[in-house]
Amino acid sequence: MSSLRHQRPVQNVLSAPYPSRFPQNYQKPSTNFLTRTNLIILFTLLIILGVLIPCIPVPEGFLMFNSNPNSKWRDYTLSDAAARVAKNNTLIVCAVSEAYLPFLNNWLISVARQKQHEKVLVIAEDYATLYKVNDRWPGHAILVPPALEAAAAHKFGSQGFFNFTARRPRHLLKILELGYNVMYNDVDMVWLADPFPYLQGEHDVYFMDDMAFVKPLNHSHSLPTPGKKGRPYICSCMIYMRPTNGAKLVMKKWIEELQDQPWSKAKKANDQPGFNWALMKTAGQVDLYLLPQAAFPTGGLYFRNKTWVKETKGMHVIIHNNYIVGFEKKIKRFRDYGLWLVDDHASESPLGTL
């Protein structure tokens, strides 16, 4: 009994819990952060981030993924594209900025009708063109940096137009150095027949005359004699070359001529005089071939001499819409002659309706 007398009473922990450390009227602090002050601070931070983040440059590849599906085409090289597109070791090349896309589509329809479109490689001069073409026709467009301003190359005779066309011989030289045959076309052209059967022999460089006077059907295929300006009048709009030393020499000389005769406000040059000087200065070292006028007429002849057109009916292969300046004027002329194909035949183009 004495031992039990000194034992502590046993507490029932369920019925008599430990007393609280806080007063009975104590209230826990609120965990609600959505107070008026906090909301104002949060809203202010969002505004600041929204302004600053777009201004912070983020290097390509910094993120774990790139949401732009077209980004892969930025690293698509000329050698990659040539290996993918070339058929029978041959490429058909054009250079295009975004403003010329309707003409590209029109030209492509005519090329597709001759079953030669799979050889086409579009050299895009701006990223909008690169992405649009490859989105609809994967692998058939490349951009050789730097990209030009899309609006700079529109006006014939402008510095932007010179910069646009002056890159041409460098592109073509690179293709020749890769070992490919290459045909270059301006896109204000239309194919009426397949030009390849006309590329007879094993010459280095083939080209068409830009003079509008009528030649005999059996005219010489040699480089024409110089005109009043001391050089021939060959068009740089349609060129075919084999990957020979002679063809490479002409392209290198063309590049030199463009460097020696740059654009200026006083002398609004374009690339064609440089091409003619290059042909004339290398003629003794290179095998040159002038294509038949009846098959490859300049626009100054085809669109202005109805008698000649009738006399040579059925002989025309590629028509060039030159000797006229301005997009709308070129389109109207094509429409007048039934050569603006995109109105009714866009489905025949690899690009579809643009």
Side-chain angles (χ1 to χ4, degrees), residues 260-318:
D260 292 341
Q261 301 179 42
W263 186 92
S264 66
K265 290 183 178 179
K267 187 180 180 181
K268 298 179 179 180
N270 60 72
D271 70 306
Q272 188 159 300
F275 179 56
N276 280 269
W277 285 114
L279 290 172
M280 193 174 75
K281 292 179 180 181
T282 60
Q285 309 167 65
V286 182
D287 187 353
L288 304 176
Y289 186 84
L290 176 66
L291 291 162
Q293 184 187 55
F296 301 88
T298 184
L301 178 59
Y302 183 84
F303 293 109
R304 296 181 180 180
N305 192 328
K306 294 182 179 180
T307 300
W308 179 87
V309 170
K310 289 180 180 178
E311 292 174 349
T312 56
K313 185 177 180 180
M315 300 182 187
H316 313 135
V317 176
I318 294 182

Side-chain angles (χ1 to χ4, degrees), residues 4 34 59 67 69 73 77 99 106 114 131 145 171 180 199 201 220 234 240 244 292 295 298-299 301 319 325 333:
L4 293 174
L34 300 179
S67 60
W73 299 119
T77 66
N106 196 68
Q114 306 306 322
Y131 297 154
H171 299 326
Y180 296 96
L199 306 175
S220 169
I234 298 302
Y240 179 77
T244 62
T298 184
L301 178 59
I319 307 302
V325 178
R333 181 199 257 177

